[in-house]
Amino acid sequence: PLPDLSLLLPSCRAKEIKTKLGTLLQKPDSTIDFIIPYPEKAEKPPKAQKPSPEEALQWRDSLEKLLQNPYGLLSFRSFLRSEFSEENAEFWVACEDYKKTKSPVKMAEKAKKIYEEFIQTEAPKEVNIDHFTKAVTMKNLVEPSPTSFDMAQKRIFALMEKDSLPRFVRSEFYHELIK
């Protein structure tokens, strides 16, 4: 029997972890590769040069400028990780990468991965989008195109802009940058 994780973690995370643990315990070793995703290639962190305080000050008013700056993106993701909401920035980055994909085969593969990781119900990093947006996104994925995730990405951008950015700007992470 599995330990009662609900005492240690919020209920949704406990349920997710308990399900994964149960799955792992029931599977023979040969199927572990299907459960634990391995990155296709090691991710190199971008060469992130610390911005000037003046440049960092611009981020208060522009989430777009913040996300386009490698150092800003890393700082923002660190902040979101501290708040347990990094999936929003991860989803936004995945969508940006997806839009640059030229090969229809690769696009379909990435679309499936993004859907399974961020969109589907109970996804490991499920982003908070409304049912209409989710339905439109699923419909768009029947024939993946560079715009398949646009509506969902815009909703998540708006959520980060309205909710996460103001908290980031008040955070110690940000105040260290503008000194």
Short mmCIF file of all heavy atoms in Angstrom, two decimals, residues 59-61 76 79 164-172 174-175 178:
data_model
loop_
_atom_site.label_atom_id
_atom_site.label_comp_id
_atom_site.label_asym_id
_atom_site.label_seq_id
_atom_site.Cartn_x
_atom_site.Cartn_y
_atom_site.Cartn_z
N TRP A 59 10.97 45.95 -17.74
CA TRP A 59 10.17 44.73 -17.61
C TRP A 59 8.91 44.94 -16.77
O TRP A 59 7.95 44.19 -16.90
CB TRP A 59 11.00 43.60 -17.01
CG TRP A 59 12.20 43.24 -17.83
CD1 TRP A 59 12.44 43.55 -19.14
CD2 TRP A 59 13.34 42.50 -17.40
NE1 TRP A 59 13.66 43.05 -19.55
CE2 TRP A 59 14.23 42.39 -18.49
CE3 TRP A 59 13.70 41.91 -16.19
CZ2 TRP A 59 15.44 41.72 -18.40
CZ3 TRP A 59 14.91 41.25 -16.10
CH2 TRP A 59 15.77 41.16 -17.20
N ARG A 60 8.92 45.97 -15.91
CA ARG A 60 7.74 46.24 -15.09
C ARG A 60 6.50 46.43 -15.96
O ARG A 60 5.40 46.08 -15.57
CB ARG A 60 7.92 47.51 -14.26
CG ARG A 60 8.86 47.37 -13.11
CD ARG A 60 8.86 48.62 -12.28
NE ARG A 60 9.19 49.79 -13.11
CZ ARG A 60 9.60 50.95 -12.65
NH1 ARG A 60 9.72 51.13 -11.36
NH2 ARG A 60 9.88 51.94 -13.47
N ASP A 61 6.72 47.04 -17.13
CA ASP A 61 5.60 47.41 -17.99
C ASP A 61 5.45 46.52 -19.22
O ASP A 61 4.57 46.74 -20.03
CB ASP A 61 5.76 48.86 -18.45
CG ASP A 61 5.92 49.80 -17.27
OD1 ASP A 61 5.14 49.68 -16.30
OD2 ASP A 61 6.84 50.63 -17.30
N PHE A 76 12.55 35.20 -14.31
CA PHE A 76 11.10 35.05 -14.16
C PHE A 76 10.74 33.59 -13.88
O PHE A 76 9.91 33.31 -13.00
CB PHE A 76 10.41 35.57 -15.43
CG PHE A 76 8.91 35.69 -15.33
CD1 PHE A 76 8.32 36.46 -14.34
CD2 PHE A 76 8.09 35.05 -16.24
CE1 PHE A 76 6.94 36.60 -14.26
CE2 PHE A 76 6.71 35.19 -16.18
CZ PHE A 76 6.14 35.96 -15.17
N PHE A 79 11.56 32.73 -10.36
CA PHE A 79 10.52 33.28 -9.49
C PHE A 79 9.26 32.40 -9.54
O PHE A 79 8.71 32.04 -8.50
CB PHE A 79 10.18 34.71 -9.91
CG PHE A 79 8.95 35.25 -9.23
CD1 PHE A 79 8.97 35.60 -7.90
CD2 PHE A 79 7.75 35.37 -9.93
CE1 PHE A 79 7.84 36.07 -7.26
CE2 PHE A 79 6.61 35.84 -9.32
CZ PHE A 79 6.66 36.19 -7.98
N SER A 164 1.21 37.13 -12.50
CA SER A 164 2.58 36.79 -12.11
C SER A 164 3.54 37.97 -12.21
O SER A 164 4.40 38.15 -11.35
CB SER A 164 3.11 35.64 -12.97
OG SER A 164 2.27 34.53 -12.88
N LEU A 165 3.42 38.76 -13.29
CA LEU A 165 4.34 39.88 -13.48
C LEU A 165 4.30 40.88 -12.31
O LEU A 165 5.35 41.24 -11.78
CB LEU A 165 4.11 40.59 -14.82
CG LEU A 165 5.05 41.76 -15.14
CD1 LEU A 165 6.51 41.28 -15.21
CD2 LEU A 165 4.64 42.43 -16.44
N PRO A 166 3.11 41.30 -11.86
CA PRO A 166 3.09 42.24 -10.73
C PRO A 166 3.76 41.66 -9.46
O PRO A 166 4.46 42.38 -8.74
CB PRO A 166 1.60 42.50 -10.48
CG PRO A 166 0.96 42.23 -11.80
CD PRO A 166 1.76 41.11 -12.42
N ARG A 167 3.57 40.38 -9.22
CA ARG A 167 4.22 39.75 -8.05
C ARG A 167 5.73 39.67 -8.26
O ARG A 167 6.51 39.87 -7.33
CB ARG A 167 3.63 38.36 -7.77
CG ARG A 167 2.24 38.40 -7.16
CD ARG A 167 1.83 37.10 -6.52
NE ARG A 167 2.10 35.92 -7.33
CZ ARG A 167 1.31 35.45 -8.29
NH1 ARG A 167 0.17 36.05 -8.55
NH2 ARG A 167 1.65 34.37 -8.97
N PHE A 168 6.15 39.35 -9.49
CA PHE A 168 7.58 39.30 -9.80
C PHE A 168 8.23 40.67 -9.56
O PHE A 168 9.30 40.76 -8.96
CB PHE A 168 7.78 38.85 -11.26
CG PHE A 168 9.22 38.89 -11.72
CD1 PHE A 168 10.16 38.01 -11.21
CD2 PHE A 168 9.62 39.81 -12.69
CE1 PHE A 168 11.49 38.05 -11.64
CE2 PHE A 168 10.95 39.84 -13.13
CZ PHE A 168 11.87 38.96 -12.59
N VAL A 169 7.57 41.72 -10.01
CA VAL A 169 8.10 43.08 -9.89
C VAL A 169 8.23 43.49 -8.41
O VAL A 169 9.10 44.27 -8.06
CB VAL A 169 7.22 44.08 -10.69
CG1 VAL A 169 7.53 45.51 -10.35
CG2 VAL A 169 7.39 43.82 -12.18
N ARG A 170 7.40 42.91 -7.56
CA ARG A 170 7.49 43.21 -6.12
C ARG A 170 8.49 42.28 -5.41
O ARG A 170 8.78 42.47 -4.23
CB ARG A 170 6.12 43.05 -5.46
CG ARG A 170 5.12 44.12 -5.84
CD ARG A 170 3.86 44.07 -4.98
NE ARG A 170 3.17 42.80 -5.02
CZ ARG A 170 2.17 42.48 -5.84
NH1 ARG A 170 1.74 43.37 -6.71
NH2 ARG A 170 1.59 41.30 -5.78
N SER A 171 9.01 41.28 -6.10
CA SER A 171 9.84 40.26 -5.48
C SER A 171 11.29 40.68 -5.28
O SER A 171 11.79 41.61 -5.92
CB SER A 171 9.81 38.98 -6.32
OG SER A 171 10.61 39.13 -7.48
N GLU A 172 11.97 39.93 -4.43
CA GLU A 172 13.40 40.13 -4.19
C GLU A 172 14.19 39.82 -5.46
O GLU A 172 15.19 40.48 -5.76
CB GLU A 172 13.85 39.22 -3.03
CG GLU A 172 15.21 39.57 -2.47
CD GLU A 172 15.32 40.99 -1.93
OE1 GLU A 172 14.36 41.49 -1.29
OE2 GLU A 172 16.37 41.61 -2.16
N TYR A 174 13.47 40.45 -8.51
CA TYR A 174 13.46 41.64 -9.37
C TYR A 174 14.24 42.79 -8.75
O TYR A 174 15.01 43.47 -9.42
CB TYR A 174 12.01 42.05 -9.66
CG TYR A 174 11.91 43.22 -10.62
CD1 TYR A 174 12.21 43.06 -11.96
CD2 TYR A 174 11.51 44.47 -10.19
CE1 TYR A 174 12.12 44.12 -12.86
CE2 TYR A 174 11.42 45.54 -11.05
CZ TYR A 174 11.73 45.36 -12.40
OH TYR A 174 11.64 46.40 -13.28
N HIS A 175 14.06 43.01 -7.47
CA HIS A 175 14.72 44.13 -6.81
C HIS A 175 16.24 44.01 -6.84
O HIS A 175 16.94 45.02 -6.89
CB HIS A 175 14.18 44.33 -5.39
CG HIS A 175 12.82 44.94 -5.41
ND1 HIS A 175 12.60 46.29 -5.46
CD2 HIS A 175 11.59 44.37 -5.46
CE1 HIS A 175 11.32 46.54 -5.53
NE2 HIS A 175 10.67 45.38 -5.53
N ILE A 178 17.40 45.52 -10.29
CA ILE A 178 17.30 46.96 -10.56
C ILE A 178 18.18 47.80 -9.64
O ILE A 178 18.15 49.03 -9.69
CB ILE A 178 15.84 47.47 -10.53
CG1 ILE A 178 15.19 47.19 -9.18
CG2 ILE A 178 15.05 46.83 -11.67
CD1 ILE A 178 13.81 47.81 -9.02
#
